[in-house]
Amino acid sequence: MKKQCYHVSIGIKQAKADHLNVSDLLYQADKAMRKSKEEFYKKAENGRRAR
């Protein structure tokens, strides 16, 4: 994927089955993904700047 200039971001969040609320789970996973991307782009060795 890197050779074709594709980048992938994912967010992961766990929840117990008895506490599963899909909307909240998706929100938390998206939040985790955004935090990960922010940390990635803050590193100077990455060729792209933070957004």
Side-chain angles (χ1 to χ4, degrees):
M1 291 180 70
K2 190 173 184 177
K3 289 180 184 180
Q4 295 184 14
C5 296
Y6 287 107
H7 300 273
V8 176
S9 299
I10 61 170
I12 299 172
K13 187 67 179 174
Q14 294 181 6
K16 293 183 179 182
D18 58 340
H19 293 100
L20 182 63
N21 176 320
V22 176
S23 294
D24 289 340
L25 191 58
L26 288 172
Y27 173 79
Q28 292 297 325
D30 187 59
K31 189 173 169 181
M33 178 193 64
R34 291 176 187 274
K35 182 179 179 186
S36 178
K37 286 177 77 170
E38 180 180 324
E39 291 170 5
F40 174 82
Y41 287 121
K42 282 182 180 178
K43 294 180 182 178
E45 65 269 11
N46 296 316
R48 298 173 69 181
R49 42 184 196 122
R51 295 180 183 174

